[in-house]
Amino acid sequence: RGDLTTQFDENNQIKAGFQFTYDDLDINSGTYSPSMSTWTRSMIYHVYPYRIGAFVQDKLEFEGFIANLGVRFDYSNPNGEYYSLSTYDALYGQGLGKSLEQNAPRERAESQVYVSPRIGISHPITENSKLYFNYGHFVSAPSSSMRFRLQRESNGLVTYMGNPNMELEKTISYELGFAQNVMDMF
C-alpha cells in the first residue's frame, strides 16, 4: 500500500493512494468423531484471491467551512473456479460427493468493481465547537469460508459449498453531529 499527500494550494490538500492484497488461503480442516460419523467432516480449499483498491480525495479549506470530497475504487478477483451445479444436483449426495472435484463442471469466478463516494463537511461555529456531516460507501470482503469452503461429511455428503461470486459486503454510512471542546479536556 502507499499514499501521497500534497498541499496543492492554500485551499486544497490532495491525497491519493492504492492498496494491493493477495491471499494464499490453504485450508485443510475437519472434525473426527468415532462415535458419530455424521460429525466427521472436512473443509478443504486452496485459493489465491486478490483485491486492488485506489482512492483520491480533496480537502477543501475555507474560513468557516471544511469539506473532504473523495472516491474509492475497489476491484476484487476470486482468482479461481467454482462448481457449476444445480441446487439439487446428485453430486451433492452421499458417495457421489467424494468425486465432486473430478465430475462436476466448473466455471471461472467473476471479478467485481466498486466505486465508493465519500463526503465530509465540517462547519466551525466557534473556536471550540463545530457542526459536521459525513457520508460514504464502504465495501469489505466476506469471510473466505463463505466464498470458498467445500464441506463434506465422511460419507461424501456435501453440506456446504461456498460462492466465490458472492458480492462484497456493502455499508452506507452517514453521520450528522455536533462537537464541543470543554476546557481543552473533553
Side-chain angles (χ1 to χ4, degrees):
R1 86 173 44 191
D3 62 68
L4 177 67
T5 303
T6 183
Q7 188 70 39
F8 185 70
D9 61 28
E10 68 179 37
N11 301 106
N12 292 278
Q13 182 186 57
I14 308 246
K15 185 174 183 179
F18 71 93
Q19 177 180 355
F20 177 76
T21 304
Y22 177 83
D23 295 316
D24 179 352
L25 303 172
D26 188 4
I27 306 299
N28 186 352
S29 71
T31 58
Y32 174 72
S33 174
S35 62
M36 292 183 64
S37 64
T38 57
W39 283 92
T40 300
R41 60 180 58 124
S42 65
M43 180 173 61
I44 300 170
Y45 57 91
H46 193 182
V47 293
Y48 307 93
Y50 63 90
R51 294 179 309 282
I52 301 170
F55 72 92
V56 63
Q57 74 178 35
D58 186 6
K59 182 176 185 179
L60 300 162
E61 296 180 279
F62 298 97
E63 188 174 330
F65 177 80
I66 299 170
N68 285 301
L69 307 173
V71 64
R72 180 177 170 91
F73 303 93
D74 287 287
Y75 173 81
S76 176
N77 190 327
N79 196 22
E81 297 178 324
Y82 66 97
Y83 300 109
S84 178
L85 300 171
S86 64
T87 305
Y88 301 105
D89 198 292
L91 284 173
Y92 292 126
Q94 296 180 26
L96 293 176
K98 292 183 177 182
S99 64
L100 189 69
E101 287 86 343
Q102 293 79 29
N103 298 324
R106 298 177 188 208
E107 290 185 30
R108 190 87 186 140
E110 298 175 6
S111 58
Q112 301 170 38
V113 176
Y114 294 89
V115 179
S116 305
R118 315 265 169 93
I119 299 170
I121 298 172
S122 176
H123 176 66
I125 299 170
T126 69
E127 187 176 304
N128 292 313
S129 62
K130 68 178 178 180
L131 285 171
Y132 61 90
F133 171 75
N134 296 313
Y135 173 83
H137 291 223
F138 302 87
V139 295
S140 61
S143 70
S144 64
S145 66
M146 297 292 286
R147 294 176 76 193
F148 306 112
R149 174 174 63 176
L150 174 58
Q151 182 174 298
R152 280 185 269 247
E153 305 295 330
S154 61
N155 62 11
L157 177 69
V158 175
T159 55
Y160 190 91
M161 182 175 294
N163 178 4
N165 290 330
M166 181 180 285
E167 289 187 18
L168 297 185
E169 298 170 353
K170 300 176 197 174
T171 300
I172 298 176
S173 173
Y174 48 92
E175 175 183 32
L176 177 62
F178 172 77
Q180 176 68 47
N181 179 356
V182 179
M183 301 185 306
D184 285 333
M185 294 173 53
F186 304 101

